[in-house]
Amino acid sequence: MKSLVFFDFIWVLIGVNGFGSVYNSGKVEFSEKPLGYKEPPIINVIEASDGNGATCLPNYYPLQDYDPMNPKSVPTYNLPKYDESFRVGPNLELDPDVKILLDSLTLEEKAGQMVQIQVGMFLGCDGLINVTAVEAIIDEWKIGSVFEATQNHGGRWNINSPQRFANLSNTIQSIAIRKGSKIPLIWGLDTIRGANYVKGATTFPAPVNIAATFNPIHAYNSGSIGAKDTRAAGVHWAYSPLADINRQKLWSRNFENFGEDPFLVGQMVYQNIKGLQGNYKLDRSKVAACIKHFIGYSDPQNGKDRDPTHIPLQELAEYFIPPFKKAIDAGVATVMEAFGQLNGQSIAISKKILRNLLRDQLNFNGTLITDWGEVNAQWERYFTAFDIDDSTFQALSNTSIDMSMTADDIEYANSTINLVKSGKIPISRINESVGRILQLKKDLGILQTPYSNPSLIDTVGSAQDVELARNAARESIILLKNDCNVLPISKKDKVLFVGAALDSIGYITGAWSVHWQGATELEGNDVFGGYGESILDGIKKITGDSVNYIRGYNVSGFKVDDYDHILQLARKADKVVFCLGEKPSTEGIGDIDTLSMARDQYEAVKNVAEQTSTPIILLLAQNRPFLLGELSKSACGIINANLPGPYGGLSVAEILYGEVSPSARQPYTYPKFDSQAQLVYYTPIANNYDPEFSFGQGMGYNNISYSQITVNSTDLRPGSPISISITATNNGKWIQNEPALMFTTQKVKREYVPERHRLRSFRKQRILPGESKTFKFSLSAEELSFIDEKLDSVTSEGPVIITINAFNKNSMSTLIYLHER
Ligand SMILES: *[C@@H]1O[C@H](CO)[C@@H](O)[C@H](O)[C@H]1NC(C)=O
Ligand SMILES: *[C@@H]1O[C@H](CO)[C@@H](O)[C@H](O)[C@H]1NC(C)=O
Ligand SMILES: *[C@@H]1O[C@H](CO)[C@@H](O)[C@H](O)[C@H]1NC(C)=O
Ligand SMILES: *[C@@H]1O[C@H](CO)[C@@H](O)[C@H](O)[C@H]1NC(C)=O
Ligand SMILES: *[C@@H]1O[C@H](CO)[C@@H](O)[C@H](O)[C@H]1NC(C)=O
Ligand SMILES: *[C@@H]1O[C@H](CO)[C@@H](O)[C@H](O)[C@H]1NC(C)=O
Ligand SMILES: *[C@@H]1O[C@H](CO)[C@@H](O)[C@H](O)[C@H]1NC(C)=O
Ligand SMILES: *[C@@H]1O[C@H](CO)[C@@H](O)[C@H](O)[C@H]1NC(C)=O
Ligand SMILES: *[C@@H]1O[C@H](CO)[C@@H](O)[C@H](O)[C@H]1NC(C)=O
């Protein structure tokens, strides 16, 4: 740890004085690398077959090769610990050595730094690295960044082992430091819940599951393991977390964010960034996080990805901005702007959003990147610009975008050069962005050590990490209904299991794993290479027996077995578990028109409910909350597992069989009708809130009873917070991880309609059978302020109800009074 500080310091001296260098970039001389190598560490990989002498892969290549290599996955490991107790984040001022490097660059070199291309541009038609292409692109356009994983862009392998990924990234870096501006590239990747694009890396449950745990340690762990495994591959930048709030249940990307509540999202985002970044200016097992999508992306009116959003500024400030603010408080290094438009204005060229709001009001000092192709989209898709030069001009002159994720071309660099040369864009604007990019590279250690750290590779897939992912999954499964104690299932019960998602690791993981749209049908479970288990595998592990399973319907809910056969099997069973899944998808590919469930699947359950007396358990393992209709009444038990990930199979089985008592809560409102697709629990108090399942709903197998709430004062005034406490007793026989959620409701709020409830705090504690635990919260008048029409934050006096566990059977409440002074 000391030596890293030392080398950072030395680097400054060398940069200024130019002596003692090991490798001379021709611009600034790089010091001895802290890890002790000047050339890339050679990571040998098993070469691809020569494809029977064919130069290029066939056009249609559905089943990519399986990488025969696996990480060593040492069972346990220790990494150096860095102090993470203080805020580490981007500064406005550049370090002196970064400034020297910036000043040494030509206009062309600066413009190149501002471009990010996808890695497919570095591959040949054989799906392997094309050194000629890498050299040409870097030499001619001096690009500063690359992103993505090869499997999504014509790569030979369906997913790269960390060795192969590092071999590729190191090869590219060794070209980058000799060609073009001779500055190493920064590599970005959608590591959204663990390094989901690296073979063997520990994939965590989807962020929506992390939210359901109401335990932010899992957001931290998912970030921290994800950072390490990403860094093992030679990648430095994770495009996560999403700080969007889930406001539109039709939208395909809800599983990627942390639910519908701004406070919950903020807490999870904060810890996820801490996990990803930690002490990232020193710790080389960390990456830069990137909060996205700034802003308003998650509420498309008709539910389709990238469709227009219309959000009054007051609402934007009250609900959408706070999680981003929390991310900036955490020290997030980078931000990604949102696709599309907000209130009619195109975001990627909006001065109001990307300068006034992000830089001037929120004080964000780090690097701002566009989402995929958003500069080109101005003239190609949104028609807000005449051509690429006009698009680039608007982005540069009106916003503070630093890097354009052009993805497939270098036009942005060319336009930038043209615009500066013709005097339309001042060089100071270019300096501003390139300075931030170079500083980010220095902060991440890329300028000192462009290569991957090979000692991290052996830790990828360690049992130590897998246990953290399993724990997260265990705490993320929501028990919503349990009539007549149908759950947990006893090992003696004869159970019929129905549904394709039970037999698939990919279906319970979702998109952004292996591939952009998830593992493919052809790949099945094989592509996970043993890194994970299906729910059926989990059940077998617990019962030690074969499982009475029939697919019934495919993952999209279409019939594949004779339904009379299901009826026969159901009649012979003590219980039937129907698993209702959803084909993995995200972005536009995941667009849907209705939350109605596929007809065949619905009928399969309805038949059994109407024609047998066998109790039914619904197990939901899906991205979106499909409407349950009558099934919610006919089922005795309902479990919502969302997308627990490749290590969630065992966790789901443990919950089903009562090895673990469930402890999760709904992080979003589960609608009953399509008309409720945009219903959230913080709807105005007079509005109807009668969804299928409420926000915060969920229970365990134990009877947990709560004492009365005590407050140390019933008068709440600005500057003097009150403390609130309540005691929970576990009257059951299981150990219970119990979350207590504290909500407030302002009963009267003059002029502004109060919301039904607002979550202000939550805690989770482990309570042994027979034990009682006290939950303590504090509440300030400032937390009860809201944004008024003038966009000021105000408090308005009135009676306030404090409710613990609103929407649950054991909820408790008490009354206080909020004063303005
Ligand atoms: C990548 O692997 C190949 C094949 O083993 C090897 O020749 C090459 O040196 C490796 N490159 C790097 C940068 O590790
Ligand atoms: C950005 O930098 C300025 C100047 O150094 C500093 O005052 C401000 O607090 C920084 N913003 C954040 C969010 O850290
Ligand atoms: C590699 O790139 C060069 C230059 O772009 C191109 O001419 C060549 O065809 C590419 N090779 C393959 C195998 O695609
Ligand atoms: C771009 O900046 C100009 C000049 O400040 C302003 O008139 C225009 O509204 C801005 N456009 C956008 C999309 O913000
Ligand atoms: C760069 O811009 C110039 C001027 O508009 C244009 O003539 C040239 O074709 C562009 N080059 C590329 C590679 O797009
Ligand atoms: C921008 O950078 C150049 C060196 O690349 C420097 O000469 C110039 O002073 C800077 N301009 C401004 C306005 O910051
Ligand atoms: C499910 O079956 C339907 C009807 O046969 C078919 O169109 C669809 O592609 C299948 N979906 C999956 C994911 O297998
Ligand atoms: C839960 O336990 C408490 C305390 O023993 C008891 O009063 C209550 O009736 C129980 N509730 C249920 C639903 O069994
Ligand atoms: C109530 O508790 C809070 C938090 O512990 C404390 O700051 C406050 O002074 C207490 N108020 C009273 C009236 O005791």
Side-chain angles (χ1 to χ4, degrees):
M1 183 172 146
K2 277 215 176 70
S3 69
L4 286 170
V5 179
F6 176 72
F7 276 109
D8 278 3
F9 179 62
I10 286 283
W11 190 80
V12 175
L13 292 180
I14 291 167
V16 176
N17 299 324
F19 59 81
S21 73
V22 169
Y23 174 69
N24 186 335
S25 76
K27 299 292 175 194
V28 173
E29 298 175 351
F30 294 93
S31 75
E32 174 73 47
K33 313 297 181 285
L35 291 168
Y37 46 80
K38 327 161 195 167
E39 290 297 320
I42 294 302
I43 300 169
N44 285 299
V45 295
I46 297 168
E47 304 276 5
S49 73
D50 72 349
N52 295 324
T55 322
C56 294
L57 297 175
N59 281 339
Y60 181 61
Y61 189 58
L63 202 57
Q64 290 160 294
D65 287 5
Y66 281 60
D67 187 345
M69 301 186 70
N70 295 312
K72 196 167 161 194
S73 303
V74 295
T76 59
Y77 62 90
N78 273 310
L79 291 178
K81 291 261 187 293
Y82 289 80
D83 186 358
E84 295 182 0
S85 63
F86 58 99
R87 181 181 184 274
V88 181
N91 296 325
L92 193 60
E93 297 79 18
L94 301 182
D95 293 350
D97 51 355
V98 170
K99 226 184 150 305
I100 291 168
L101 180 58
L102 172 65
D103 285 346
S104 75
L105 301 185
T106 63
L107 171 61
E108 287 72 17
E109 289 171 337
K110 287 179 182 174
Q113 287 297 310
M114 298 165 75
V115 172
Q116 182 181 62
I117 59 168
Q118 54 90 0
V119 67
M121 287 184 75
F122 287 157
L123 299 180
C125 62
D126 55 0
L128 304 174
I129 186 170
N130 182 344
V131 170
T132 318
V134 181
E135 286 180 347
I137 293 169
I138 293 181
D139 215 27
E140 188 171 357
W141 293 102
K142 301 154 189 28
I143 52 133
S145 183
V146 60
F147 76 117
E148 260 280 18
T150 57
Q151 62 259 38
N152 292 331
H153 300 280
R156 171 70 68 92
W157 312 95
N158 54 15
I159 182 166
N160 294 304
S161 59
Q163 296 95 311
R164 192 175 303 280
F165 212 134
N167 177 285
L168 176 77
S169 55
N170 290 340
T171 305
I172 292 172
Q173 293 293 27
S174 65
I175 296 169
I177 63 172
R178 287 177 174 82
K179 299 272 176 188
S181 54
K182 302 181 178 165
I183 296 172
L185 308 180
I186 179 169
W187 196 313
L189 196 62
D190 285 282
T191 286
I192 72 156
R193 25 95 183 264
N196 41 253
Y197 277 161
V198 177
K199 184 185 175 190
T202 306
T203 298
F204 276 68
V208 70
N209 285 64
I210 301 285
T213 67
F214 280 85
N215 188 356
I217 186 74
H218 300 303
Y220 178 89
N221 291 340
S222 161
S224 140
I225 305 306
K228 168 184 73 72
D229 292 354
T230 300
R231 210 63 206 234
V235 171
H236 330 93
W237 191 1
Y239 295 141
S240 69
L242 269 77
D244 297 320
I245 52 171
N246 173 351
R247 290 272 294 218
Q248 169 47 286
K249 274 65 185 182
L250 287 162
W251 191 42
S252 61
R253 304 194 67 175
N254 288 331
F255 73 105
E256 299 174 46
N257 66 39
F258 296 105
E260 75 186 24
D261 179 72
F263 178 78
L264 173 62
V265 175
Q267 296 299 305
M268 293 297 175
V269 155
Y270 188 92
Q271 288 302 328
N272 192 241
I273 291 167
K274 287 286 178 197
L276 285 162
Q277 291 193 173
N279 197 336
Y280 74 100
K281 295 184 187 176
L282 296 176
D283 186 347
R284 300 300 170 230
S285 70
K286 295 295 177 185
V287 295
C290 182
I291 33 160
K292 58 192 191 184
H293 306 80
F294 199 79
I295 195 171
Y297 180 41
S298 60
D299 197 15
Q301 301 253 296
N302 61 5
K304 303 276 164 77
D305 187 54
R306 298 195 204 183
D307 267 15
T309 53
H310 292 276
I311 306 168
L313 295 182
Q314 186 185 3
E315 228 180 295
L316 199 72
E318 179 71 32
Y319 304 110
F320 290 76
I321 294 174
F324 285 90
K325 200 168 175 310
K326 198 78 189 150
I328 292 170
D329 288 347
V332 74
T334 76
V335 170
M336 188 185 294
E337 59 82 40
F339 279 125
Q341 50 183 273
L342 172 64
N343 300 335
Q345 194 184 44
S346 185
I347 294 171
I349 54 174
S350 166
K351 187 172 198 166
K352 190 167 179 166
I353 299 171
L354 299 183
R355 256 205 199 274
N356 303 352
L357 179 57
L358 182 65
R359 301 288 185 185
D360 304 342
Q361 283 182 43
L362 297 177
N363 261 311
F364 175 64
N365 292 328
T367 303
L368 172 61
I369 185 169
T370 70
D371 208 328
W372 184 294
E374 276 297 272
V375 173
N376 275 334
Q378 300 309 314
W379 68 281
E380 288 177 339
R381 182 179 165 129
Y382 308 136
F383 310 108
T384 52
F386 290 101
D387 50 30
I388 179 63
D389 285 341
D390 192 23
S391 306
T392 308
F393 172 71
Q394 293 190 59
L396 287 172
S397 63
N398 276 23
T399 82
S400 62
I401 286 173
D402 299 311
M403 190 180 276
S404 174
M405 184 191 283
T406 67
D408 297 316
D409 64 75
I410 46 69
E411 302 297 331
Y412 188 77
N414 198 34
S415 286
T416 300
I417 296 165
N418 294 339
L419 289 165
V420 175
K421 282 192 175 154
S422 64
K424 291 204 180 96
I425 294 289
I427 187 71
S428 57
R429 171 65 185 84
I430 309 303
N431 289 2
E432 175 191 335
S433 284
V434 179
R436 286 195 200 108
I437 293 165
L438 295 176
Q439 184 69 54
L440 176 67
K441 289 185 175 183
K442 182 193 167 187
D443 289 344
L444 289 164
I446 300 170
L447 299 184
Q448 299 92 324
T449 308
Y451 305 115
S452 72
N453 175 350
S455 69
L456 294 178
I457 289 177
D458 289 348
T459 73
V460 173
S462 166
Q464 183 177 323
D465 301 346
V466 169
E467 195 47 29
L468 296 178
R470 285 224 168 91
N471 266 336
R474 279 180 191 115
E475 283 193 39
S476 76
I477 293 155
I478 315 162
L479 176 60
L480 291 166
K481 184 176 181 188
N482 193 12
D483 281 2
C484 345
N485 292 323
V486 68
L487 285 160
I489 299 170
S490 149
K491 283 183 197 166
K492 287 185 227 110
D493 288 338
K494 281 193 292 174
V495 188
L496 173 65
F497 288 91
V498 190
L502 289 164
D503 195 19
S504 165
I505 303 175
Y507 297 160
I508 60 172
T509 301
W512 300 114
S513 164
V514 184
H515 304 288
W516 175 42
Q517 299 294 326
T520 68
E521 305 296 315
L522 285 169
E523 290 166 345
N525 290 342
D526 292 350
V527 76
F528 288 89
Y531 298 99
E533 72 270 321
S534 68
I535 297 173
L536 288 187
D537 293 335
I539 294 169
K540 277 179 214 152
K541 220 175 245 178
I542 286 174
T543 61
D545 211 350
S546 62
V547 184
N548 184 16
Y549 166 69
I550 178 168
R551 197 147 68 104
Y553 37 83
N554 74 14
V555 73
S556 308
F558 291 89
K559 189 174 192 165
V560 290
D561 286 306
D562 177 21
Y563 281 8
D564 284 337
H565 186 46
I566 299 183
L567 275 178
Q568 279 171 18
L569 295 173
R571 285 201 184 94
K572 283 190 262 172
D574 298 326
K575 290 171 182 172
V576 188
V577 174
F578 285 100
C579 185
L580 311 183
E582 178 185 358
K583 186 177 154 67
S585 68
T586 186
E587 300 192 11
I589 292 178
D591 284 348
I592 53 172
D593 293 314
T594 170
L595 287 169
S596 294
M597 199 188 294
R599 183 113 223 116
D600 288 357
Q601 181 177 279
Y602 190 83
E603 293 298 327
V605 185
K606 198 160 170 274
N607 273 349
V608 171
E610 285 173 355
Q611 300 187 41
T612 78
S613 56
T614 315
I616 291 172
I617 296 161
L618 297 182
L619 172 61
L620 313 174
Q622 53 193 14
N623 165 18
R624 277 168 290 213
F626 285 96
L627 307 177
L628 300 181
E630 291 168 52
L631 306 187
S632 78
K633 295 224 164 38
S634 38
C636 295
I638 302 179
I639 289 177
N640 185 5
N642 287 295
L643 295 171
Y647 292 108
L650 180 60
S651 307
V652 169
E654 286 171 345
I655 298 278
L656 284 171
Y657 281 87
E659 307 264 306
V660 172
S661 175
S663 69
R665 299 291 182 261
Q666 274 294 131
Y668 57 86
T669 299
Y670 198 116
K672 199 184 267 178
F673 309 105
D674 261 325
S675 59
Q676 293 178 339
Q678 282 171 296
L679 181 65
V680 288
Y681 85 89
Y682 40 92
T683 188
I685 196 162
N687 268 21
N688 182 27
Y689 184 70
D690 180 28
E692 191 68 74
F693 303 112
S694 307
F695 175 87
Q697 200 174 328
M699 56 190 169
Y701 292 142
N702 295 300
N703 166 1
I704 306 290
S705 51
Y706 278 82
S707 70
Q708 289 301 318
I709 300 175
T710 59
V711 290
N712 70 349
S713 168
T714 52
D715 290 298
L716 182 58
R717 295 175 195 279
S720 35
I722 59 169
S723 67
I724 298 155
S725 78
I726 190 164
T727 301
T729 303
N730 183 354
N731 307 301
K733 57 183 204 272
W734 284 267
I735 294 171
Q736 185 64 48
N737 279 310
E738 178 74 358
L741 280 52
M742 182 185 71
F743 297 85
T744 62
T745 306
Q746 188 151 355
K747 277 184 81 169
V748 179
K749 190 159 89 180
R750 299 182 75 215
E751 191 176 346
Y752 291 92
V753 181
E755 301 140 306
R756 178 168 293 268
H757 289 293
R758 276 300 286 276
L759 181 69
R760 303 298 180 187
S761 192
F762 58 86
R763 303 227 188 299
K764 199 171 195 179
Q765 297 194 76
R766 192 178 142 97
I767 316 179
L768 301 176
E771 195 186 19
S772 296
K773 280 263 170 80
T774 298
F775 290 88
K776 287 191 164 53
F777 301 101
S778 90
L779 183 67
S780 68
E782 290 76 9
E783 287 170 83
L784 299 187
S785 66
F786 63 97
I787 306 292
D788 73 2
E789 237 195 350
K790 291 185 229 108
L791 300 183
D792 291 330
S793 178
V794 295
T795 48
S796 173
E797 84 159 88
V800 170
I801 308 169
I802 296 173
T803 310
I804 306 290
N805 299 340
F807 310 117
N808 269 322
K809 284 198 192 106
N810 55 12
S811 80
M812 284 284 168
S813 53
T814 193
L815 193 67
I816 59 164
Y817 199 90
L818 173 67
H819 300 268
E820 287 173 25
R821 274 175 279 279

